[in-house]
Amino acid sequence: MIRIHQEIQHLLEYGLREKLYKLEDAIYVRNRILAVLGLLDWKDIQTENPPPVLSEILKRILDWSYENGVLLSNTNTERDMLDTEVMNCMMPRPSEVIKEFKHNYNESPEMATTKYYELAVSSNYVRADRIAKNIQWKTVTPYGEFDITINLAKPEIDPKEIALIRSSAPSSYPKCLLCIENEGYKGTLSLPARGNHRIVPISLNEEEWFLQYSPYVYYSEHCIVFRKEHVPMKICSETFKRLLDFTEQFPHYFIGSNADLPIVGGSILSHDHFQGGKYSFAMEKAEVVETIVLESFPSLKVGILNWPLSVIRIIGEKEDVRNLAEYIWRAWKEYSDSSVGILAYSDDNSHNTVTPIARRRGELYEMDIVLRNNRTSDEFPDGIFHPHKQHHHIKKENIGLIEVMGLAVLPGRLASELNQITEYIVNPVKQEQWPADMQKHWDWYQELIKKYNNTSKDSIKEIIYTEVGLKFQHVLEDAGVFKQIEAGRSAFLGFLQYVKNSLKD
């Protein structure tokens, strides 16, 4: 019993240092933690100095809980459900978080988001210890420096959990991972624990929306902005107003929307939402390579970006940016050019959509409109403008908003696979010796062997990371509706001429 009391005391001291609760609440908080852990008594215990980090404190509490029957099963999900309930004992109520956010916002929007993000991290809602496991690097390309991440943060589901999920009763509450009902939700085997989750209401386009952070952030202050109602993702005229409204309220953040069609959309299309944050992606720094003059919008700067996908950048006053962005979107929805494989419709299916991204440039507003198309063909059954098969060994998932801007989120399997490839380049093997689960990399391995057969082991890993980054470049080029070749460039200018002409009508 002394052991668990010591860990609880460590946790209480952590919560007080991080200002999760006030000294006046200390006894109440302690008693709530005791209740969650099924304890009825307390004894003050001397704690360690220096104190352990939060992840170690929680690990010890969870290990004790399993050993003493508080946790009936020791799966990752059930451990998360318990440690979230424990952390929630120290958390302010939602109304207090909102009050604090509004108070800080009156000082400055950046102070409001900084303090709010600090709460998300210190409460363990943002799982900083797991995020630190991600492997990250940058790769220089002709388009700028791409960010590459091998995602090791999210724990894998073990077979015991899969069996438990199959035997558990289905639930429709909350309806999805983004619904407001997730705030304070205990969690299930199939829905994550959100006891320490706090959301902040904001107004976009005179509608009710909410701000939160991603529990597995991929970049600085990675936030999610979601609609109060559970309605599907849909790019519409209001989308551009909402994005620009957000950058007006939070000028230090960018914000963007995933496309709203399968194949080119994000992983959650069932609930309308955006993603934003405090980070400058390579796309933001990309140069304009072709300036477009539009007589109907003389005050706007409009151009084509040097980017693997097909991007139109607009800079100017808020309403002008909004109006032109909406006009380009409407024009693109109806546009076809069979010479480059772009068809707006097949049967009753619409194929053209956009990925819009908004940010501030000083007093002006900037919006990037990324042209997307989700057609498939016999040659490209996964999508014509989707990662092609020769790149699937690195990435075959959809190219969503984050990837569009130049950050690759790659599967965790690559961490060990790239280590194996490094070893095999230094000590080559024949195909019959090549592991079965690595066959997808064989052709790439052959290319690497020819290029780097006399390279030392010390330098080969960095070289392979660079090669992965260049693979991601090719993946993004696959997703570009107007390819980075002369015919594609001409076709892109053809679309912009179509926009010009229709503006005159």
Side-chain angles (χ1 to χ4, degrees), residues 94-141:
S95 60
E96 297 174 74
V97 174
I98 294 167
K99 182 180 178 181
E100 178 74 10
F101 184 89
K102 289 180 177 178
H103 172 78
N104 290 331
Y105 186 90
N106 289 333
E107 293 293 320
S108 83
E110 190 164 4
M111 178 186 286
T113 55
T114 297
K115 295 294 185 183
Y116 179 42
Y117 183 70
E118 288 173 355
L119 174 67
V121 173
S122 61
S123 66
N124 207 42
Y125 170 73
V126 171
R127 299 265 180 175
D129 60 314
R130 293 180 184 171
I131 295 164
K133 297 176 183 177
N134 288 343
I135 300 171
Q136 298 176 312
W137 70 93
K138 290 180 181 288
T139 298
V140 176
T141 77

Side-chain angles (χ1 to χ4, degrees), residues 200-373:
V200 172
I202 61 174
S203 177
L204 302 180
N205 192 37
E206 299 181 351
E207 302 161 341
E208 291 183 273
W209 288 68
F210 289 87
L211 173 67
Q212 68 172 64
Y213 289 103
S214 170
Y216 293 99
V217 296
Y218 290 123
Y219 51 84
S220 177
E221 298 184 32
H222 178 180
C223 69
I224 299 170
V225 179
F226 63 97
R227 199 164 172 177
K228 181 179 181 180
E229 297 83 13
H230 178 77
V231 294
M233 287 282 295
K234 183 174 177 60
I235 302 292
C236 58
S237 60
E238 288 80 11
T239 300
F240 308 101
K241 175 70 162 59
R242 293 162 183 156
L243 294 176
L244 293 168
D245 277 0
F246 182 86
T247 61
E248 184 173 26
Q249 295 174 53
F250 302 96
H252 57 296
Y253 273 9
F254 81 88
I255 189 168
S257 173
N258 269 304
D260 57 345
L261 294 178
I263 297 176
V264 295
S267 57
I268 300 178
L269 293 177
S270 61
H271 196 127
D272 205 3
H273 71 284
F274 308 132
Q275 294 183 75
K278 192 178 179 181
Y279 190 69
S280 293
F281 290 88
M283 184 188 205
E284 180 183 339
K285 304 168 189 173
E287 295 181 359
V288 171
V289 292
E290 189 94 31
T291 300
I292 310 299
V293 178
L294 298 175
E295 294 176 5
S296 301
F297 292 92
S299 66
L300 292 179
K301 293 181 180 179
V302 184
I304 297 173
L305 284 194
N306 176 38
W307 198 246
L309 288 95
S310 306
V311 187
I312 302 166
R313 174 164 291 172
I314 310 166
I315 305 175
E317 298 294 333
K318 180 181 177 184
E319 284 307 306
D320 287 342
V321 170
R322 174 198 173 188
N323 290 334
L324 180 56
E326 181 183 344
Y327 195 91
I328 290 172
W329 162 68
R330 290 189 184 278
W332 175 246
K333 278 182 67 70
E334 305 300 322
Y335 188 76
S336 294
D337 184 345
S338 58
S339 71
V340 286
I342 296 168
L343 297 179
Y345 296 94
S346 61
D347 299 324
D348 294 326
N349 297 315
S350 175
H351 294 303
N352 287 351
T353 186
V354 298
T355 300
I357 301 134
R359 62 184 76 87
R360 295 292 292 274
R361 291 282 188 184
E363 295 299 312
L364 298 178
Y365 293 79
E366 178 174 283
M367 185 167 284
D368 291 338
I369 305 296
V370 188
L371 307 179
R372 314 297 302 274
N373 178 288

Side-chain angles (χ1 to χ4, degrees), residues 392-411:
H392 284 187
H393 66 109
I394 298 296
K395 183 172 177 66
K396 63 180 179 180
E397 297 82 10
N398 291 359
I399 301 302
L401 172 67
I402 294 173
E403 288 87 1
V404 161
M405 294 185 291
L407 192 160
V409 180
L410 303 179

Side-chain angles (χ1 to χ4, degrees), residues 438-449:
M438 293 280 287
Q439 283 300 322
K440 56 185 173 289
H441 293 300
W442 175 255
D443 291 341
W444 186 48
Y445 169 67
Q446 291 297 295
E447 295 172 17
L448 295 174
I449 279 285

Side-chain angles (χ1 to χ4, degrees), residues 19-225:
K19 300 179 181 178
L20 292 176
Y21 68 93
K22 296 178 181 178
L23 186 59
E24 296 90 334
D25 300 321
I27 293 174
Y28 171 84
V29 169
R30 182 177 70 201
N31 284 337
R32 296 319 306 151
I33 294 173
L34 292 173
V36 168
L37 298 177
L39 297 169
L40 297 174
D41 62 354
W42 175 256
K43 184 177 181 180
D44 289 326
I45 300 293
Q46 184 70 34
T47 55
E48 299 172 42
N49 189 22
V53 296
L54 177 62
S55 58
E56 180 60 27
I57 297 169
L58 291 174
K59 179 184 180 300
R60 294 175 186 178
I61 290 174
L62 294 171
D63 289 347
W64 176 92
S65 298
Y66 180 61
E67 292 164 8
N68 290 270
V70 179
L71 264 179
L72 299 181
S73 181
N74 204 28
T75 64
N76 287 325
T77 299
E78 286 168 295
R79 287 173 72 91
D80 283 357
M81 288 167 64
L82 182 57
D83 76 14
T84 299
E85 286 298 298
V86 169
M87 291 303 297
N88 186 43
C89 295
M90 300 190 291
M91 290 282 292
R93 293 202 174 203
S95 60
E96 297 174 74
V97 174
I98 294 167
K99 182 180 178 181
E100 178 74 10
F101 184 89
K102 289 180 177 178
H103 172 78
N104 290 331
Y105 186 90
N106 289 333
E107 293 293 320
S108 83
E110 190 164 4
M111 178 186 286
T113 55
T114 297
K115 295 294 185 183
Y116 179 42
Y117 183 70
E118 288 173 355
L119 174 67
V121 173
S122 61
S123 66
N124 207 42
Y125 170 73
V126 171
R127 299 265 180 175
D129 60 314
R130 293 180 184 171
I131 295 164
K133 297 176 183 177
N134 288 343
I135 300 171
Q136 298 176 312
W137 70 93
K138 290 180 181 288
T139 298
V140 176
T141 77
Y143 307 103
E145 270 195 331
F146 289 168
D147 294 290
I148 314 296
T149 296
I150 296 179
N151 183 14
L152 299 174
K154 293 184 180 179
E156 295 182 5
I157 299 177
D158 65 34
K160 289 181 181 178
E161 285 185 66
I162 294 172
L164 289 169
I165 290 170
R166 286 175 178 166
S167 63
S168 62
S171 172
S172 59
Y173 179 87
K175 290 181 181 178
C176 79
L177 296 174
L178 293 179
C179 284
I180 58 174
E181 289 81 10
N182 283 281
E183 187 175 40
Y185 187 64
K186 182 180 179 180
T188 67
L189 290 167
S190 54
L191 285 170
R194 291 291 182 258
N196 54 353
H197 180 38
R198 300 293 184 267
I199 60 178
V200 172
I202 61 174
S203 177
L204 302 180
N205 192 37
E206 299 181 351
E207 302 161 341
E208 291 183 273
W209 288 68
F210 289 87
L211 173 67
Q212 68 172 64
Y213 289 103
S214 170
Y216 293 99
V217 296
Y218 290 123
Y219 51 84
S220 177
E221 298 184 32
H222 178 180
C223 69
I224 299 170
V225 179

